[in-house]
Amino acid sequence: MSAWVVLGFFMIVVGIPVIAGVGGDMFKRWLKHKEAMTVALTAQTAEKAAQYAAHVERLEERVRVLERIVTDRGLGLSEEIERLRDAPLN
């Protein structure tokens, strides 16, 4: 029975600290990995947001041009469209 006590004592004194140390190191590595992934994802998200903002800006400019065309040449434009519809195809 004393062998079981010595083995149990050894497991408590040596085994638990070793397991805790290895587990702690694994946890630290996992946290570093998660932090690196978060940084990469944040950078990627910021880049995508900038691309979308630039795209929206281009679309807004196109809409402004179309609005200007419609408001500046409203009647003349509709007459021109009708002339093009009536024109024979060559």
Side-chain angles (χ1 to χ4, degrees):
M1 179 97 163
S2 77
W4 287 108
V5 172
V6 171
L7 183 60
F9 178 76
F10 178 77
M11 289 300 294
I12 291 172
V13 171
V14 176
I16 292 176
V18 169
I19 291 172
V22 170
D25 187 49
M26 288 173 54
F27 183 70
K28 286 178 187 177
R29 287 178 186 231
W30 180 78
L31 281 179
K32 281 184 181 181
H33 172 71
K34 286 302 229 182
E35 182 180 342
M37 293 298 293
T38 302
V39 168
L41 185 60
T42 301
Q44 187 179 31
T45 302
E47 182 179 336
K48 281 286 188 188
Q51 289 174 354
Y52 289 140
H55 184 66
V56 167
E57 187 176 328
R58 287 191 302 270
L59 289 175
E60 287 175 346
E61 180 60 32
R62 292 180 74 180
V63 168
R64 281 193 288 277
V65 168
L66 291 172
E67 288 174 342
R68 191 174 65 241
I69 290 171
V70 170
T71 57
D72 290 350
R73 301 180 52 206
L75 291 175
L77 183 62
S78 67
E79 291 172 2
E80 189 176 330
I81 290 172
E82 290 303 319
R83 274 196 311 265
L84 290 172
R85 281 186 186 156
D86 294 338
L89 298 175
N90 293 334

